[in-house]
Amino acid sequence: MRRSTTIPLVSRQEQVASLLLAVGRASAGRPGFVLVGGDAGVGKTRLISHVAQAAEQARANVVVVHCVDLGQVGIPYLPFTEALTQLQAGAAGPDAAARVAELVAERPALWRLLEPGGTGDAEHDERLQLFEGIGRSLALSGAPEHPLVLVIEDVHWADASTRDVLRFLAARARSENVLVVVTYRSDDVDRRHPLRPLLAELSRLEHVERIDLQPFDEDELREFTTALAGRPLAPAGFAEVLDRSEGNAFFAEELLDAGPDSASLPWTLTEVLRTRLERLDPEVQQVLRIASVAGRRVREELLRAAAARSGALDVDTALREAVTAQVLVVSGTHLEFRHALLAEALYADLLPGERSAVHRAYLAVIEQNGPDGMPIGSAAERAHHAFEGHDLPAALSASRDAALRARELLAPEEELRHWEQVLALWESVPDAEERTGRDRVAVALLAGEAAARAGDPNRAVKLTQRAVDGVDDPVRRAGLEHVLVHRYLDLPDWDEVPGRLEAAVVDLRTALEVLPERSPDRIWTNALLARVTMIIDRDDDARAHAACAIEEARETGQSGALADALSTLAVLDVADPDRAAALLDEARTAATDAGDVLTEMRALYNAAANRFYAGELAPAEQRVGHALARAEELGLAWSTYTVNLRLLQEIMLYFRGDLTPRPIEGVPATSKQVMDASRLYAAVARGDDDVIARGEALFDHWKSDGMIALLGGGCLVDALTWAGRYDDAAALAERITSHLGEVWSELFLARIWLSALAIAALADAAEADRSAGRVGAPGSAAATAVEARAAERLDRGDSLLAIARETADRGRPRGGVLGPEGRAWLQRTAAENARLHAVVGNTQGATAAESGDPTSAALWREAAATWQDTVNAFDFGYRYEVARSRYRWAEALLGAGEREAAEVEAAEALSEAEEMGAKPLADAVRALARRARLDLPGVRRATASTLTEREEEVLGLVAQGLSNRQIGERLFISTKTVSVHVSNLLAKLGASGRAEAVSLAHQRGLLEV
């Protein structure tokens, strides 16, 4: 039977064409990414091999690299190390090899990546330099008409650092002659797989193409099996293959290879593979089983050495036969199973004792030194084989080395996994302390720090608490108290439980009684006491502890503690933004000198927040951009303060009126909900169809982080109001206020924002009642109910306004002065309450605009002016709220009879809303223009073409709440005729009842304001 590698590619013409077009674009200087996904065995590698051959014929340079499965451990950047090695060896030609070699020599991060045993200072290993170096190496290897096609296979096994590089390369692609093709097993990427969010992010980029390779359909499979067998299969035989393979090319091929007897086997792929492999010589099978222990790919010399140690005899003959049978294929200096499932099936077939013995054989080989005097294998490989080979002492030592190596490469997730492996093995290795050069407490502290840098604060707390609990010496335990409090402060909800901060103050002060004078731990303890006492508003204590820490840190050279204390002092001095900024700049410099990356990020965040809350948006945006770039350099993409920076960035984009949906870059589970909450601002303004569902999905996470409740809940209030669910919106605002009043304080400043949103919902609800004619005859039960509901809304509105004002007076913003945003929201709260009074005070059922209340118009003018003045004076920029206030101001101006002024403000609001893409706001302005017959660009004035003149008259009286009999009396027509008119207008408007008809007509501008 002909093999699939010798027959023309069956089907897949569309995918081949897409890939070759991408190669052509890269040749012309338009770089791209192609994500090729599909189930195991569906034919990804066969497709890529075909395209690679065609690309090479078109003068492209093709480099194929791989990710490997090492279980819970990983080798950071493995595929890119392999790619650089191939490029230096001339895979893209001698000129490109020379350019890459020169670049590697100039970039410490690159040459250290290619020297697994090397060590160096973290500042030379910063990830930005490494990422840029990788990108530059690829760019240098592609040229016009000779693009570089980099194929990265099996990315479902990629480590976190490799995924970060892919994200970086995709984001930075500009005009390079490079095409990156990524393959992955879609059946392995479930909803919890770390690759899934990356795929979603990349798929949203314009230059990224996604190819989902599906199994063959019946016709395609028939063509495929005919090509394999050299003739069409008998109907029964084809039906058997179709049924059992389900269109999977590899399964179908193996079924055909296994022969007719395979039909009698129970259907599992392992059994099919075993049937085929058992045809091979036992010596070949033995070597293949040894190869499977290394995974899908293994260096040939490593396999030979491990096979020799495992008792294999004629390795050369066995390997030749395995390659001839196409179980193994040659891939550079590696041997590779034709499909990963072959390796997996062979590995699963090994007895536990056999498996451990082969792992130990590999370990013995890779522990040997190569020609350069360094071990052949990486520390991560040694750790993997030692652990699986049950050589626990070797596994512990190798895991220690792998953790230190990951730390040098600024790969905190990998570092954490290796330190946790060390801790897991500690009890089983009697000389663990001697092997690691540190005690178990020190290892747990390192693991906790890695978890903090990796953005997993809960894990960081558990590991640090474990370290503290393992200390008996009272002085050392006291010295670790500040580390533990530091980790707790990173938890989003830790300070929300009553008594926790006060208990931390007690613990830290107790530690001060034990710690030696001017010792590093004592200085750090004072620095942490300053932070905690500041949080609980004991500013005098905070200043005293900060001053003490700063003085002693400067005298003793403790730069890390100095940076932390300076950062706290800057927050205490926020009323003087320039002084605070100077303190934070000094703090950042000190943290950098100390190599304290977490404290550096705190200083960078506070510096950005300092400018933001002062209303200086442009400097804040600049600082956020710098801080996030620095976080990427330091491998802190999702540490606590980096998450805060990302939240600030989302909010500032919204303030600027940039509502463009953007992919979220690899958000870990620990930060997903709060990031989702922050992105609801823009989603509500855009009017996304799923925004309410997204907000409601966050309810269960309110207790984990007050910011989720505030951002997600507050945005949901706004969304419910736009959706016409006014009572739900107002109730939710009060629910959020109550929740955060318990976990934060009763007078948290964001209560002003929530009060404004709640009153807006109450005013809209009152206006909806009026526009739908929910009044009834004077003195009727219906009218009495409406009046009671109106009175209740007025009471709630007045109460919420009072709360907002009290919060502004007593909420104690840091620095003692309410910032520009707070002042603007307070003004809008007053304007919304005036609108509520205007609606309720109109007993004729008209809208707020018809009430003619000059107070409402004046307050909305002042609200719009406050937002606009804030923009002009501080470059603060709340563009969306400026437009929304102009809309309400225009409505109020109409009520005051100032049509020309109203038209100007409405036109400005509409223009801004349309430019931002704020659909609900734009629709509301258009509806106002139609109702009021305003002449706005692109808005058709409402006409009576939908309804007859008589039907319009009837509709107007229905809107006033008149019954059919009352309408007949008013128009001098019979009740039956009124009923006919009402039925007609209901049908024309598509309404199910009178109230809905009035509401729809109001929205369409068919009712006069």
Side-chain angles (χ1 to χ4, degrees):
M1 184 180 67
R2 297 175 66 190
R3 304 299 307 170
S4 63
T5 52
T6 65
I7 63 174
L9 184 70
V10 172
S11 189
R12 313 302 191 199
Q13 286 84 4
E14 181 179 347
Q15 292 83 359
V16 170
S18 294
L19 286 162
L20 292 179
L21 281 173
V23 174
R25 289 193 295 269
S27 180
R30 294 163 58 195
F33 263 66
V34 181
L35 312 176
V36 181
D39 292 351
V42 79
K44 299 182 295 297
T45 299
R46 177 74 183 95
L47 170 67
I48 295 303
S49 298
H50 176 87
V51 172
Q53 184 178 4
E56 287 175 336
Q57 292 173 353
R59 304 175 67 193
N61 298 312
V62 180
V63 172
V64 181
V65 297
H66 307 77
C67 300
V68 297
D69 182 16
L70 289 178
Q72 294 301 311
V73 300
I75 305 175
Y77 315 110
L78 176 62
F80 296 103
T81 302
E82 185 181 357
L84 288 174
T85 301
Q86 291 189 42
L87 292 173
Q88 279 192 296
D95 292 340
R99 290 193 296 268
V100 171
E102 181 178 356
L103 179 68
V104 169
E106 293 173 353
R107 303 252 181 150
L110 285 179
W111 61 254
R112 293 190 54 72
L113 184 64
L114 297 173
E115 296 289 339
T119 59
D121 296 331
E123 62 180 325
H124 296 304
D125 287 331
E126 290 183 352
R127 298 213 310 178
L128 181 60
Q129 183 193 100
L130 178 61
F131 288 10
E132 290 180 339
I134 292 171
R136 184 63 180 155
S137 298
L138 300 181
L140 290 173
S141 301
E145 309 302 328
H146 297 281
L148 173 67
V149 178
L150 175 63
V151 178
I152 308 176
E153 293 219 63
D154 299 325
V155 175
H156 52 279
W157 286 329
D159 62 283
S161 298
T162 294
R163 295 193 298 271
D164 287 344
V165 176
L166 287 172
R167 182 180 295 112
F168 179 90
L169 293 176
R172 296 295 179 92
R174 294 295 182 268
S175 59
E176 303 84 356
N177 301 106
V178 177
L179 173 66
V180 178
V181 180
V182 167
T183 73
Y184 62 94
R185 286 188 192 172
S186 54
D187 50 341
D188 277 359
V189 183
D190 60 27
R191 62 187 179 88
R192 296 186 179 88
H193 196 286
L195 182 63
R196 190 182 184 94
L198 174 61
L199 294 175
E201 296 163 26
L202 297 183
S203 297
R204 296 187 183 101
L205 298 177
E206 183 178 357
H207 58 281
V208 175
E209 181 180 1
R210 188 162 181 169
I211 295 177
D212 294 317
L213 212 56
Q214 299 300 317
F216 290 139
D217 61 27
E218 183 173 342
D219 291 339
E220 291 169 340
L221 186 64
R222 181 175 284 106
E223 181 183 359
F224 180 67
T225 55
T226 298
L228 283 175
R231 63 185 186 281
L233 298 182
F238 176 75
E240 178 82 0
V241 173
L242 176 63
D243 179 60
R244 297 174 69 182
S245 72
E246 297 181 332
N248 184 288
F250 177 71
F251 291 5
E253 185 171 357
E254 295 306 319
L255 282 168
L256 289 176
D257 249 6
D261 292 340
S262 67
S264 62
L265 294 172
W267 170 236
T268 66
L269 179 61
T270 301
E271 290 170 340
V272 173
L273 294 173
R274 185 183 298 121
T275 301
R276 181 185 175 205
L277 293 169
E278 284 176 353
R279 299 178 183 178
L280 300 173
D281 185 85
E283 187 74 16
V284 178
Q285 294 182 47
Q286 181 187 7
V287 172
L288 288 173
R289 284 192 290 270
I290 294 168
S292 74
V293 173
R296 185 180 182 182
R297 304 179 74 243
V298 59
R299 296 192 301 276
E300 183 180 352
E301 72 275 11
L302 179 58
L303 174 57
R304 289 177 178 276
R309 285 181 172 271
S310 300
L313 299 177
D314 192 352
V315 178
D316 285 345
T317 301
L319 289 178
R320 277 196 296 271
E321 184 175 344
V323 172
T324 300
Q326 296 196 38
V327 177
L328 293 178
V329 296
V330 178
S331 176
T333 60
H334 289 70
L335 292 171
E336 180 178 302
F337 282 95
R338 188 169 53 83
H339 195 284
L341 292 179
L342 278 167
E344 294 171 16
L346 283 162
Y347 187 75
D349 206 33
L350 287 168
L351 295 173
E354 292 179 295
R355 194 177 297 170
S356 299
V358 178
H359 276 294
R360 287 194 296 271
Y362 276 109
L363 177 63
V365 174
I366 62 178
E367 283 184 330
Q368 297 174 2
N369 291 337
D372 59 356
M374 302 304 298
I376 294 175
S378 68
E381 288 177 302
R382 297 201 309 274
H384 172 65
H385 287 299
F387 183 79
E388 296 296 338
H390 304 300
D391 186 345
L392 302 187
L396 183 141
S397 297
S399 295
R400 183 276 318 272
D401 293 343
L404 294 175
R405 176 62 178 159
R407 186 181 184 89
E408 292 171 3
L409 290 174
L410 301 172
E413 293 180 357
E414 289 80 6
E415 180 188 353
L416 172 60
R417 286 201 297 271
H418 290 304
W419 283 132
E420 289 191 310
Q421 182 80 297
V422 171
L423 291 171
L425 294 170
W426 196 274
E427 293 293 339
S428 302
V429 181
D431 61 343
E433 186 169 336
E434 181 180 346
R435 284 178 173 272
T436 59
R438 47 183 60 82
D439 63 12
R440 189 172 183 174
V441 170
V443 172
L445 289 172
L446 286 169
E449 182 188 348
R453 287 188 280 110
D456 191 347
N458 286 292
R459 189 64 187 149
V461 165
K462 290 178 182 178
L463 288 163
T464 307
Q465 185 70 65
R466 179 176 178 178
V468 173
D469 291 344
V471 175
D472 294 326
D473 177 39
V475 175
R476 187 182 186 191
R477 187 181 181 94
L480 294 179
E481 195 63 49
H482 70 85
V483 181
L484 184 59
V485 172
H486 205 156
R487 298 287 171 259
Y488 272 117
L489 285 173
D490 284 342
L491 293 176
D493 62 334
W494 184 65
D495 58 351
E496 295 175 6
V497 176
R500 277 184 174 172
L501 290 170
E502 287 77 5
V505 170
V506 171
D507 291 341
L508 290 168
R509 284 180 173 159
T510 301
L512 281 180
E513 296 173 0
V514 177
L515 293 170
E517 292 290 333
R518 298 185 179 276
S519 65
D521 284 330
R522 184 180 180 87
I523 297 170
W524 263 110
T525 301
N526 267 313
L528 264 295
L529 263 170
R531 283 182 67 179
V532 177
T533 50
M534 175 189 68
I535 294 171
I536 56 180
D537 294 328
R538 299 179 189 172
D539 288 1
D540 291 341
D541 286 348
R543 286 184 181 279
H545 288 295
C548 182
I550 290 169
E551 178 185 356
E552 295 184 0
R554 283 178 170 152
E555 291 176 358
T556 59
Q558 292 296 314
S559 299
L562 173 62
D564 196 84
L566 286 169
S567 296
T568 299
L569 186 59
V571 177
L572 292 168
D573 286 345
V574 71
D576 185 347
D578 292 335
R579 169 170 163 72
L583 288 169
L584 289 167
D585 286 341
E586 184 183 356
R588 180 186 55 79
T589 300
T592 303
D593 292 342
D596 188 340
V597 295
L598 294 174
T599 301
E600 181 181 351
M601 291 312 303
R602 181 191 176 208
L604 288 170
Y605 166 73
N606 282 340
N610 170 270
R611 293 302 176 184
F612 174 74
Y613 290 116
E616 301 175 22
L617 193 60
E621 288 175 324
Q622 184 178 10
R623 287 177 180 263
V624 166
H626 167 72
L628 288 175
R630 182 61 175 161
E632 292 287 348
E633 292 176 22
L634 298 173
L636 302 176
W638 293 101
S639 66
T640 296
Y641 282 104
T642 310
V643 171
N644 291 339
L645 283 161
R646 294 184 189 278
L647 295 178
L648 199 56
Q649 185 180 54
E650 288 290 336
I651 293 170
M652 286 193 296
L653 286 170
Y654 170 63
F655 280 8
R656 286 293 195 198
D658 185 349
L659 308 181
T660 306
R662 292 176 175 81
I664 305 178
E665 298 183 355
V667 184
T670 52
S671 303
K672 182 180 184 303
Q673 284 75 36
V674 72
M675 289 303 303
D676 287 347
S678 71
R679 295 169 71 83
L680 287 179
Y681 275 115
V684 172
R686 287 193 305 267
D688 289 0
D689 292 338
D690 63 345
V691 68
I692 291 177
R694 288 159 60 185
E696 291 174 341
L698 297 172
F699 284 163
D700 293 340
H701 302 280
W702 282 19
K703 291 183 179 180
S704 66
D705 186 350
M707 287 301 292
I708 297 175
L710 176 62
L711 301 181
C715 291
L716 181 56
V717 171
D718 214 1
L720 290 170
T721 302
W722 280 121
R725 294 171 55 181
Y726 310 120
D727 291 335
D728 291 343
L732 178 62
E734 293 172 350
R735 175 184 165 193
I736 299 166
T737 300
S738 175
H739 171 73
L740 294 179
E742 292 176 1
V743 299
W744 288 350
S745 71
E746 285 190 4
L747 297 175
F748 64 96
L749 291 175
R751 198 169 190 176
I752 301 173
W753 174 50
L754 294 172
S755 295
L757 295 179
I759 299 174
L762 293 173
D764 283 354
E767 190 160 349
D769 275 359
R770 294 299 183 186
S771 64
R774 297 173 190 151
V775 180
S780 67
T784 301
V786 168
E787 291 171 1
R789 192 160 57 241
E792 187 263 342
R793 285 174 180 146
L794 286 179
D795 288 342
R796 290 169 70 185
D798 291 344
S799 175
L800 287 166
L801 177 59
I803 288 172
R805 287 171 171 164
E806 181 186 14
T807 302
D809 291 338
R810 297 179 50 222
R812 298 195 62 204
R814 184 65 60 186
V817 178
L818 192 64
E821 184 192 2
R823 294 195 297 273
W825 276 115
L826 185 61
Q827 182 60 44
R828 183 182 158 188
T829 306
E832 292 286 9
N833 199 49
R835 181 166 71 95
L836 171 62
H837 276 266
V839 176
V840 172
N842 181 356
T843 59
Q844 299 304 312
T847 65
E850 288 181 312
S851 68
D853 182 1
T855 302
S856 179
L859 286 172
W860 278 112
R861 180 182 66 246
E862 191 172 344
T866 301
W867 290 115
Q868 190 63 51
D869 288 346
T870 300
V871 174
N872 294 336
F874 298 99
D875 190 31
F876 188 73
Y878 215 147
R879 185 181 181 190
Y880 178 76
E881 283 304 329
V882 172
R884 177 149 61 174
S885 293
R886 285 187 181 279
Y887 155 60
R888 289 300 184 191
W889 184 16
E891 185 181 51
L893 286 168
L894 284 170
E898 300 181 38
R899 288 184 57 82
E900 290 185 5
E903 202 166 80
V904 170
E905 298 306 327
E908 183 68 24
L910 180 59
S911 174
E912 286 288 276
E914 289 180 331
E915 189 172 334
M916 286 186 285
K919 186 178 183 300
L921 178 56
D923 288 347
V925 179
R926 291 191 192 97
L928 175 65
R930 286 193 297 267
R931 293 194 306 270
R933 307 296 198 267
L934 296 180
D935 188 11
L936 299 186
V939 178
R940 293 180 60 186
R941 295 187 180 188
T943 69
S945 60
T946 302
L947 304 177
T948 67
E949 183 177 349
R950 177 63 82 182
E951 287 166 351
E952 276 198 317
E953 290 180 308
V954 171
L955 178 60
L957 296 173
V958 167
Q960 295 180 28
L962 275 63
S963 67
N964 285 1
R965 181 181 60 78
Q966 291 170 322
I967 294 172
E969 291 173 353
R970 183 76 61 87
L971 297 178
F972 304 101
I973 59 178
S974 68
T975 301
K976 183 176 181 180
T977 301
V978 173
S979 178
V980 171
H981 287 312
V982 171
S983 297
N984 287 339
L985 68 88
L986 289 178
K988 288 180 178 181
L989 294 173
S992 59
R994 296 161 66 95
E996 185 181 2
V998 172
S999 179
L1000 290 171
H1002 190 272
Q1003 294 171 20
R1004 298 173 189 177
L1006 298 176
L1007 283 174
E1008 293 283 352
V1009 175

